[in-house]
Every structure is written in C-alpha cells, then in structure tokens.
Amino acid sequence: MIESQVDCIVRFHNVKRLHELSRCIFSLVSQKYRPLHIIVVVQRFSDAELLATHRAIEPLFRLPDAPMLTIKNWQSEEPIDARTELLNMGLAAATGQYVSFLDYDDVLYPEAHEVLVNRLKATGAGITFASVRVVYADVYRQFIHLVKQVNAPFSGKNLKDLFRANFCPIHSYLIDRSIVSQKDLSFDTNMTWEEDYDMLLKICANYSSDFDQLNVVIGDYYYKTDGSNSVPSDGIPGADRMQEYERVKAFIEVRRRTTLVAPEIQKQLGLPSLGANVTIRDALDALPS
Amino acid sequence: MLLKEVTLSLSASSFWAPDYICQSAWIEHAPFAFWLTDALRPARFVELGTHYGYSYFAFCQAIKRLDIGTTAYAVDTWEGDEHAGFYDNSVYESVLEINRQYASFSRLTRATFAEAAEYFSDGSIDLIHIDGRHFYDDVKQDYESWHPKLTENAIVLFHDVNVRERGFGVWKFFEELASKHPSFRFNHGNGLGVLALGTIPEGLEKLFSATGASADQIRGVYSSLGGSLSSRRQLIAKSEAIREMLKVAADVSAEAAERLARIGDWDPQIQRIRSALERCEATGLAVGTTGLKIPQERAQESKASAAAVNEKLAQSKSILQTREAEVSELRRENEALREDLATSATLTEVKPAEKPVTTESIRPLLAEMVIQENRHHRTLLERLDRLTRDGLEKDSTIDSLRARAAEYDAIRNSTAWKMTAPMRSVLANLPALRTPARRAMKAVHWTATGQLLKRLAARRRAAESFPDGQAGGVDITAPPPDLFQSHPREPAEAARPVEIDYSVAVPFGFTKDCNTGGRIAAVVHLYYEEFACEFRSYLSNIPGIVDLYISTADDFQASVIKKAFSGWEKGNVEVRVVPNRGRDIAPKLVSFKDVYDKHEYVLHLHSKRSKHADVLAPWRHFLLENLLGNSDIVSSVLHAFKQNAKLGIIAAQHFEPMRHWTNWGGNYSGAQALATRMGFFINEQDPLDFPSGSMFWARSAALRPLLNLHLQIDDFDLESGQKDATLAHAIERLYFYACESAGFGWIKIARPEIYSHTPAIVEVTSEADLGEFFDRCTFRLLDPRGVKPRQFMPAPVSEPSPRLFELVQDRALGEYITVDPETRVAIGLVTYNNSEDELKLAVGAAKVSMELAGLSTNKSLFLLDNGINTEELLKDTELFTRLSAQGNSGFGGGHNRLMQAAFQNGYEIYIAVNPDGALHPDAVRYLVQMVQAANGRALVEALQFPSEHPKPYDPYTMDTPWVSGACLAISKAAFEDLGGFDEGFFMYCEDVDLSWRARAQGYALKTCPRALFLHAVTNREMSPTTLQMIFESGIKLARKWGAAEFESWLHAELAAKGFLAPVLSPTAIPAEWRKFSDFSHHFSFAQPRW
C-alpha cells in the first residue's frame, strides 16, 4: 500500500461517451493533490474500444506532474451488467492508502482530494464525506450544455441520516484503506443499484466516519436530459427500475438488520451503550426520530 | 340553479376526460377522482385493488396534470379474486405499460395488501382507495390493517358501497364507519363512499356538509359527468367494431372489387371520378418508366393501371356507403344522447330554463364545443362531398378519406359531442348568439382546461409564422393579436399535395459546373444587424465573385454591418439605409432595383430573429442551409441555372413546420390586382406555391415583371406589425407567378438530411437526371393542367429535423475545418506572482494543446511578467517569446502588449490564457476551428471548467452576451479593429467592455463549449482587496457605458465595506452602443443560467 496515494476508480460504460470521460479525467488530472492513481474500469470493451479510450485520455497524461493511469477491462461474459464487479475490479487494482470513486460523467473540483485527505489525516476516520452539486445538462454530440445547477441537493448531515437513507453520491467521499479492511471495502455483487450505499452501511457501522466537510462542495453530479444517467434526469427511475428498486430496498433493509454497529460507532451516534449485538436498525430505532 | 356548496364541490378538473378508459365498474367516478385530487392535493395516495387500473390511473392523470408532487402506489397481486375473477399476467403487464407515463411518481406494488402494508410507515398516507375483495370481513380487515398507515386527517374511499348482491359487504362496513366519521356517498357506478377520518381537509368541507338538495345536486352532477364516460366507453367499443368492419371493407376481395367496379360503370358519380383520374394522368405529371428515381413514381405508375383504378374506386364506393350509413346512425345516436343529457340535466337544474347544467362557466364551454364540432362536422361532410365530385386524382385521396373517417369517428365518440347535443339545438335556433358565445367560451374553456397561455402563444406563433415569414421589418414581439378576433373563414388549402410537390436534392450527385459567366449579387436585408457575421459566413460559401447589397434600418446598424463585412474579398459591398417599410420585399425590389441590371443572378436573403422557444425559430437557418449551406450546394444551384436557360428561380422546399400554412391568407385580392398589372391572371382555385420565407436564388430577368411595376417605397404599407394582407405579403406569393410570366420556370431544392416528413425529393446523379427533373417534375402555376390544390391540410410537423440543429452547431463549431498546421497561433500569458506549480501546469497544458492541434510551439508562447520574474522557473527558450517586464501593467495592458507583439510577428490568432488555469489538450484546436469558422469575425472564449460561469450561451449558434478573458481567442483583425482591451481597467470587467465594443463593431461573441479551460475558482476565498478591485472596475464600466443605476449600487456596496469610490472619468462610448450592454444582472452582465 503506497502511503498517501489516492486511487480514484472511474467507471466507464459507453465508448460513444468519450468526450464526457475526457472531461471527467481532466478534472482528476487537475487535482491539486498528489500522488494520484486513476483506475479506469470498463466492461467488455473490444481492443478497438480500448484503444479509442486510451487515445481519448492519453494526452491528458502528458500534462506536467500527471497522475498514473491504469485501464482495466472486465472481460467475463457474466454478469450482463457488471457495474458492481467493475468497482471491485478497480479496488483490486488499487495500490494507495486512499480510494475514491467517480463515474465517467461526473467531475471533481481541483481541491476535492486535497480537502478529503486533509480531513482523514486530521480525524483518523476511516471515511470522510463532503458535498457535491447537482447540475442538469443537455447532451449534444460534441459537448454538454449545462442548464441548471442545484446546490446542496441531498438532505442529510450526519451518520444517523446516512443510516436512514443515502445522501452521499459515490464521488463525495474518500476512504482510508489503511483503516477500513478489505473485507468491508467491497461492493456486493448481488446489487446493481445502491451498491455504494450498501457498502457505506458496512463501513460506517464499523469505522469512524467524518461529515464535517458536508458544507464544502467538491464536485458536480450530472443529471443528463438524454437519459444516459444511471439516475434519470428527472431523478426518478422508470417503472421497470421501480420493481428493481423494491428489491434493492428490501436488500438494504436486510443489511440494516444484519449489520452490527461497533461500540465506538454507537458512541459516535450518541447512543447509550446497547451492547455488542446492536444492528443498524436497532440503532436507528433507539435514536430519537 | 346550482347551490353554492355544489359549485364548491366542482372545479375545472371535474370536467377533465380520462386519458385511459377500459372496462371498469369504476368508470363513472373519474370526474370525482379528478376533483378530489385537485381539492385534497395529497402527498401520498395508495390504492388497494387496482386490477386494470382505471381508477388508479385516473388519480395518476390528475396528479400529473396538477403537478402536485403526490407519490402514488397501486397495491394488487394482479391475480384476481372471486369477485373480479382470476386472470393471467397480461393484466399486470398492461397496467405496467400504462404506468410508464406516470413512473416519475407512481409505483406498482405487486403484493398482498398485508405484505404491502409493511412498506409504508405509519401516518404517511393522505388518501386511500380501498377496492379489494368486497366481503364484509375482507373490507373491514383491509381498512383496519391500513388504518395506522393513514394520516390523522386522511380521506378513505370505498368502492361498491351501493352493491348488495353476491355477498358484497362494503355497504355495511361503510355505513358503520359513516356513523362515526364525516362521510359522503355516491350511488352511481356501484357507489363510492368517501370518509374523512379526522378534521375535514380544507376544500372538502362543503362536500361533507352537503345534505338534502345540495347532496342530491352533487350526486346528480357527478352522476351526469360519469354517465357521459360510460357512453364514451360504449362508443369506443362501437367505433372499434366499425373500424374492424372498415378494415374488412378495405381488404375487399378482387372479386368484390370487380363487382363494385361494374357498379361504377353505370354510376354517373363514379364515372366523373374516373374521368377526373384520367385527366390527371393526362397532365403528364405522372412520370414514366425511366431511370430517374422519383418518389411516388411507383404509385403513379400503378395508378395508371386500370385494375388498380377499379379497385380504388370500389374501395371508395364502399367507404362512402359506409359513411352514409354512419351519418344516419350518428343522427340517431345524437337524438338518443340529446335525450340522455336532457334527462341528466334535470338532475342538476332547479330551473332548467334559467341557468346551465353546472356552473356559470360550463354553458359557454359546452356551447363552444358545439360550435367547434358542428363546424368540423360540416367541414367533414363537405369534404366527403368534394371527394366524390372532384374525383380520386391522387393516390393520397383514399388514405385521406380514411384519415377523415377516423377523425369523424373521434368526433362522434367524443364526450363533448354527446353532452352538447341540447346546446347545439339551442344555438342552431339562435344564430345571433354564436359569435359572442364562441368568444366568451373560448376564454372560459381555455382557462378551465389550463390551455390559455398555450393557446395565446399558439395564436401569436400562428400570426407570426406564415404571414411574417418575411424579413423582420418589425420586431414581432409586438402586441399579440386580439385573442377573440373573429376569423370569418379558415384559409383554403392552396398548395399541391405533398406527394407531387417535387424538389431536387442538393448538392447534385455529379460534378458541377458553376461557372455561369454571369455576375452574382446577394441582396440582403439585415434588419437585425447582429446576424451580419452569420450571413457573412454563409455568403462565403458562394464560389467566385459575389457583390453584396445590404439594406438595414438606420445609420448605426449600417456602420455595424459595414464593419462586419470589412475585408470582403469576393466582390463589392454596399450598405444602404432604407425606411422600415415593406419588410424585406421593398428594400430588395425598390431600394436595390438598380442592382438587377448589373447582375445576371441574384440571391435574396434577409435576417429573421430566432426565438428558440418557437418552432419557427430555426427557419432562418433552415433556408440558409438549403440555399447556401456549403459551396457544393451553391455550385449545384449555379449549375442548374447554367444548364437550363429557362430556369428563373430556385427556392428551398418549404420548411416543414410551416408548410401547412401554404395558402393565400388574406392576400389573394392584393395579389390579383398586382397580377393584373403584370399582365397575367391568377385563379384562387388553382394550386399556389411560392418561396416561403422569401429567400431564393433568381435569374434577374425572372424578376423583371415585379421590377417593372416600378413600385415605390410609399406604395408599401406603413410598418405596424401587420401579420398579413400587405403589399409585401402579396408580392411574396407572386414570385413564382412573376417568374413564369417572364417566360421562366422555377424549381425547389431540398437538402434531404434536414427534411423528415417531406416526400418527392428527387436525387439526381447525372446531367440527364437533372434534365429529366426539369422536364417532368416542374409545375407551372399559370398552367396547372387540371391539378388542384390539396384537399386536406398535411399533418402539422411540430419541429424541424434534428439534423438541422446539428448542421447549425457544426457550422458554429467549425466542425468541418481541419486546422492547417501552418496557421500561426500564439498563446499569451501575463503572470503575476503565480506559484511554480500553477505556471508549469499552465505552460505545459498550453504546449500539449498546441501540439495536439498540430501547430508549431516554437516561440509561440508569449509571456509577460507583471510580477516576479519567472525566467528561472520557465526556462524553455524555444517555447517562449518573452516581453520585458515594465512593472504591473494590469491584465488588459499586459495582454495588449503581448497581442501587439504576436500579431506584429505574423501570428493570426492570439489565445489569452490565465496563468492560474490549464487548457484541455483539445482546447486550442477547437478554439482555432471556431475562430476560423467565423472568418475571424468572432471573439471565442473557452468554457471555464469544471465550474462554468452562469452566463448563457446558445447551444446551437454558440452566441453569448460577453466573453471572458480567462481564456479567449482573438483574431488579428479583431485586435486591429477593436484595439485590444481598454487599459483603463486594471483588472476585471475589461473583458466585458471588450465584448460589448466588439458587438458594436460587427463582431460576434462565441463560447466554445468543447474547449475546456481549467479555472480553479471553486471554494476560493475572495479577499476584500479583490472585491474592491472588482467593484471599482464595475464603476468604470458603468460610467463608460452610461449605467448610472449600476454605478449607484456599486457606490453603496463600496461604502458599506468602508472603501472610497474611485475618481474615474473614462471616455463614454457612443450612446447607440449601449444597446449591447446589460447591467440588469449585476456582475453576471447577462441573464444567468442559474
């Protein structure tokens, strides 16, 4: 594990969206923080697609003090939607002390990693959170056109709120791998939705988490009007996804009911000591609403 | 008369029609569902027992239409029960499909009621509809198990409270509850019980307090409204059956067709039809069997076949017979329904003769519907009649007839038609009431249905659209037309059917010879001078010499235009100021009348302001792309003129969103008078065609009849925002006539990629093809040879082809431009005590971006230190051209020095780059492409990344109100014309000043959204000194541009922060330049996007 290095795992699914990936990587290359290792994970790309991907972003790595780049390709035929597997593949390729995540159509501000690393160093927490802004964008062939932005779009301000519902997009936090064990730092491949929230529940039930920088916006979360987001532009999924959502919701609830909250985390939550067998659900029930 | 408590239990929503109708015992309760949703506006709605979803989707429809943010949940196993029967998965699938349109707030929960209850927290449901199993114990259990989930003041609906057979027990349970809670009960549609658990929500008080007469009236109104839905459902079923029968009729066997054809042999009416068809074939419009691929050719050929003719006649006969039968049936149904409605009206009227059925507003509404539909009905009958008289001349006739039949079905089946039978009868006997009633009712109907704003906008668009397809001689944001203006009659269809309205595809698919030998003039009316750069870009596509004759409205605009066209190397440029009269027509035919003698060919163009919310906004670009979108297209046009000496005008095929407006409007009589003066006659019954938008190519001689009218400016109407019926509008419709009168023909061209709904675009791949097109696909208005105008308006096209927008984007972005490696591009950095990391990133990124653009980096980075010396940090001597430091000369002063040096050294484009940022590797290429696309007549800024400036830019033309100096590309010409930044600004606002000055001097301002410039401004603290500097610059800008109010605001801000206002006396800009400034949005200097 390379001390102080940030590994940023970037999921990329669609080779037709290279100009969006290029924006995303440009925002990473522009990070003030170093050392940085960018791991682009793709799903069953052909050689030509891999080449195109590499060509599109390679010039960014000619800039001074450029970070390292790794591109990993998920080649197995299964599952069809390997989005969770991609994240785990990225984690397996990580070599640094810290890890962050970014989808190809989102961006981080230049100070993002610097802000987050400073907090982890200052607090000794296993994970630290900041905020992201939501921007709505029309997608054209060669560029995207921002039409609206929403500051502080997600409600929630602390661990209790996170246990209740996810308000932390995948690029709003940084994890210290020297604190969070590999066992807890993995995405459940049963899930293709809310997999990041599921992992956050596991981590935050066991390791100290820091929410002090929620007032600092460190990046943009793009809601695109062409529907190419995993989250639709209107923020609400279609009917088929609704079905899936019900299943995921149940799964998350199972996670809440089976994940134990470590005593020190119970303390962080302000709970009286409830003992060793306190689940997230127990903790929530014990907390004032 | 309706009691007040009754009217308070009604609203416009009570009269909505459900979008989804299916078999359902609940069908008659939709009006109440709409009203209840409107009145209650629940945060969460749950339905237990959804089945086909009629009731659930009625609530969803209301939620969506009202946009009230309700979340809705349908709970059902979708397996059925003893009452509804058991069914397969297809029911669920169909419900799932319908739910897609409501997926933003609606979820289907496939579970038992008990299972689903677990998903809801206590006290979270405001409105629940219980419609599961109907045994007493079941409904009681459903209610009790869901009761904790309801909010304190929730409303509970129970269906089937009026069914007592088959063991239904809902009535009993509801009666028990009603004894403990406020309630209301409808008896129609199997009964619907409404229960208020706690305090009655606001807006529902009158419902729950209604007793006696008021309760009866509420029940009567909703029963009546619901009854109309039952009728509608029945009629839909009937209509479906009729359609099936028609389908069978259309598929009549050959044998049956033969028999019907024999009938046709002795039927005089059919004989007339057949004769007309034969005449049509004899006109020669039908194209023979050749190698030319003409759309509809196959159809024309098959029409020539006697067998096909017989078959079509047989079908027509069959359909007409069916129609006659339907008309009789319709009459009978109308009578029956009139009686039904009269009966239902008595339920809701205390004094039927005194007041209308529902509220004061409903009567006008109903009467309006009557008039509209009666008129439509009559029109349809007339059209059917015309069909038989005029004959089936074209293939489209049968299809059109069927379309009318479907429309006829829709009318006959409409609720309004049924409901308004009595009103029709009344108004038929009182014609004097019709006009005032119609006007008042339109307003009421539109208001009640939430259409008012949309209708107003549509009227405004309609008024602006066709009649104002001419140049903006007036800003057509003029007052909207009288909302209730009476339209005595709809303009008659005048164009030919789209299937035979031929155009030739451009560019031609063969090598063109555009050397016509004749001199070309572009006669352009630029009422909006801001389009000058855009027009210059398009005009550059004309190969060879082209003289420009540009008219505009005042001296200042003329000065802007002259600057925008300065350096035009393809010919002369003459700009004339003309009176704002006669739109673009008078300037072209009167003010520039002298031009035609000197030029064999002319191109007529004019500006037209775009409004992107308007479907016609892209019309200007559409015409420009068609007529001179690239040099290949222009070569094709010139080639056509050269090959055919009798070709007089080449215009663009109609813009699809406006082609249904191709008619005489109010211009026939004016046109007739002009035609008489020109020595020819026009017939309103014959087809009309004209270069809609009045932009076209012409041989000067073809316009001679119009020029020889010797019109004077004073002959044209004074400008007052007219939409139609002016001399200019009449002339627009006479261009092709005049051309023919002069002995020439005309054709239309089409760039196929920007048409989505236009047939008859003919590709030509050889000279022979083109000749054949001239021979067989052209049309003469003065000799129509029996061709008649289309009988039906083509389906309106709501938006242009998406490809048009792509072309406009590509043009602005310079997508088609390959950056020449010899292009000399300089990048300029003015440093001021930047960190080493910042500088190395800025310089390194600039170098990479230049290299990726294929440009030389040798000495191409111009650098000036306004602060500490950076020579030790940046040592790449091959890369830099350093200017000696002279202290801190400010941002603008520093860049001015660098630009001066760069351009003196032969550079063509200078890109100012802030040293605290970084260019994306592709940024330089994209910036250069855009500068070159604008022929150097635009200042082009990069997009600040990752946090964009909120000022807007047009995503199609990339126009922006001002450009930022953080990363800005400037051509040598721009620097020389504008003199660079105003060095009176030390820092801040100098870019805004430069931008506005640029616009005043004929330059465009563009954002290049592909060129990203990292500008780390997020989470950056602004020091008081910086703020002071910004405010001081703002004051200077305000003084220079005459913005006293803005300056006062800044004085107050500075004073509040303890700073003194600066003593500055900048030279004020000319007053007329102020129109380009915008101080109404503080330091955004434009309406921000967020």
Side-chain angles (χ1 to χ4, degrees), chain B residues 111-131:
Chain B
T112 64
F113 296 167
E115 288 167 351
E118 293 298 312
Y119 301 152
F120 295 86
S121 23
D122 288 352
S124 66
I125 299 168
D126 306 300
L127 175 63
I128 190 166
H129 173 218
I130 300 177
D131 194 10

Side-chain angles (χ1 to χ4, degrees), chain A residues 22-23 30 60 62-64 109 111 140-147 149 217 236-237 242-243 245-246, chain B residues 92 103-104 107-108 806 809-810 815 840 845 852 920-921 945 953 955-956 1010 1014 1018-1019 1089-1090:
Chain A
S22 181
R23 286 171 61 97
S30 308
L60 289 162
R62 296 187 209 168
L63 300 188
Y109 297 164
E111 62 278 10
Y140 297 102
R141 292 163 303 154
Q142 305 103 327
F143 62 92
I144 61 175
H145 179 236
L146 272 55
V147 292
Q149 73 169 42
V217 179
I236 300 162
M242 283 286 193
Q243 303 296 311
Y245 179 75
E246 294 296 337
Chain B
Y92 173 70
S104 60
R107 290 185 192 170
L108 305 184
E806 291 179 358
Q809 283 178 328
D810 288 351
E815 174 75 13
K840 285 189 170 169
L852 231 65
H920 185 281
F945 179 84
Y953 68 92
Y956 300 108
R1010 294 202 291 181
L1014 173 77
T1018 46
N1019 297 306
R1089 281 174 286 172
W1090 51 80

Side-chain angles (χ1 to χ4, degrees), chain B residues 759-785:
Chain B
I761 298 175
V762 181
E763 304 269 355
V764 292
T765 56
S766 66
E767 290 271 8
D769 280 356
L770 183 60
E772 209 164 298
F773 179 86
F774 288 137
D775 290 343
R776 294 169 35 216
C777 298
T778 50
F779 180 71
R780 282 179 61 77
L781 296 167
L782 292 173
D783 183 15
R785 300 189 177 197

Side-chain angles (χ1 to χ4, degrees), chain A residues 153-254:
Chain A
F154 307 106
S155 58
K157 55 185 185 298
N158 53 31
L159 180 57
K160 183 179 74 175
D161 292 340
L162 182 64
F163 279 162
R164 285 192 172 132
N166 190 11
F167 64 90
C168 303
I170 198 166
H171 54 302
S172 68
Y173 51 84
L174 185 73
I175 298 167
D176 190 335
R177 293 174 66 232
S178 69
I179 294 176
V180 177
S181 77
Q182 193 176 343
K183 170 178 70 69
D184 293 320
L185 185 51
S186 66
F187 295 88
D188 191 321
T189 54
N190 287 312
M191 306 184 76
T192 54
W193 200 4
E194 299 269 28
E195 67 279 5
D196 50 338
Y197 182 44
D198 180 64
M199 188 184 74
L200 287 179
L201 290 178
K202 286 189 294 182
I203 292 175
C204 293
N206 283 290
Y207 305 94
S208 170
S209 50
D210 169 55
F211 293 88
D212 189 67
Q213 297 295 296
L214 281 181
N215 60 333
V216 177
V217 179
I218 60 163
D220 287 346
Y221 189 4
Y222 279 75
Y223 282 13
K224 296 181 291 184
T225 53
D226 70 343
S228 59
N229 276 93
S230 54
V231 176
S233 56
D234 58 6
I236 300 162
D240 48 346
R241 290 286 279 172
M242 283 286 193
Q243 303 296 311
E244 174 65 9
Y245 179 75
E246 294 296 337
R247 193 183 76 80
V248 166
K249 203 167 69 170
F251 193 99
I252 291 288
E253 186 53 32
V254 169

Side-chain angles (χ1 to χ4, degrees), chain A residues 5-232:
Chain A
Q5 176 180 297
V6 172
D7 292 286
C8 185
I9 297 166
V10 179
R11 268 191 299 203
F12 181 53
H13 313 105
N14 185 349
V15 78
K16 292 177 184 167
R17 301 279 182 167
L18 282 171
H19 73 85
E20 289 177 60
L21 176 69
S22 181
R23 286 171 61 97
C24 165
I25 301 295
F26 188 36
S27 82
L28 288 177
V29 170
S30 308
Q31 288 296 304
K32 293 174 181 169
Y33 185 83
R34 292 291 187 275
L36 173 63
H37 176 206
I38 299 169
I39 303 167
V40 177
V41 289
V42 299
Q43 179 177 317
R44 287 187 286 275
F45 271 22
S46 66
D47 289 346
E49 288 171 331
L50 279 174
L51 186 62
T53 303
H54 187 262
R55 277 189 181 156
I57 60 176
E58 178 277 328
L60 289 162
F61 293 86
R62 296 187 209 168
L63 300 188
D65 194 22
M68 292 174 288
L69 171 67
T70 299
I71 300 178
K72 305 289 280 185
N73 189 15
W74 176 264
Q75 291 176 311
S76 171
E77 289 302 311
E78 295 291 340
I80 293 170
D81 182 356
R83 50 184 294 126
T84 309
E85 284 76 3
L86 292 186
L87 291 173
N88 285 335
M89 184 170 66
L91 283 169
T95 55
Q97 180 180 354
Y98 306 111
V99 66
S100 67
F101 304 92
L102 185 61
D103 281 336
Y104 76 94
D105 47 4
D106 297 325
V107 299
L108 286 175
Y109 297 164
E111 62 278 10
H113 284 151
E114 193 174 68
V115 167
L116 295 172
V117 170
N118 287 345
R119 283 302 299 170
L120 286 180
K121 284 183 174 169
T123 61
I127 183 167
T128 185
F129 296 86
S131 177
V132 296
R133 186 179 67 158
V134 163
V135 292
Y136 290 78
D138 293 333
V139 180
Y140 297 102
R141 292 163 303 154
Q142 305 103 327
F143 62 92
I144 61 175
H145 179 236
L146 272 55
V147 292
K148 189 172 80 170
Q149 73 169 42
V150 181
N151 284 320
F154 307 106
S155 58
K157 55 185 185 298
N158 53 31
L159 180 57
K160 183 179 74 175
D161 292 340
L162 182 64
F163 279 162
R164 285 192 172 132
N166 190 11
F167 64 90
C168 303
I170 198 166
H171 54 302
S172 68
Y173 51 84
L174 185 73
I175 298 167
D176 190 335
R177 293 174 66 232
S178 69
I179 294 176
V180 177
S181 77
Q182 193 176 343
K183 170 178 70 69
D184 293 320
L185 185 51
S186 66
F187 295 88
D188 191 321
T189 54
N190 287 312
M191 306 184 76
T192 54
W193 200 4
E194 299 269 28
E195 67 279 5
D196 50 338
Y197 182 44
D198 180 64
M199 188 184 74
L200 287 179
L201 290 178
K202 286 189 294 182
I203 292 175
C204 293
N206 283 290
Y207 305 94
S208 170
S209 50
D210 169 55
F211 293 88
D212 189 67
Q213 297 295 296
L214 281 181
N215 60 333
V216 177
V217 179
I218 60 163
D220 287 346
Y221 189 4
Y222 279 75
Y223 282 13
K224 296 181 291 184
T225 53
D226 70 343
S228 59
N229 276 93
S230 54
V231 176

Side-chain angles (χ1 to χ4, degrees), chain B residues 152-168:
Chain B
E152 195 178 335
N153 300 322
I155 297 294
V156 188
L157 302 177
F158 295 90
H159 188 222
D160 293 317
V161 294
N162 200 22
V163 182
R164 299 188 178 227
E165 63 271 24
R166 289 184 288 151
F168 273 51

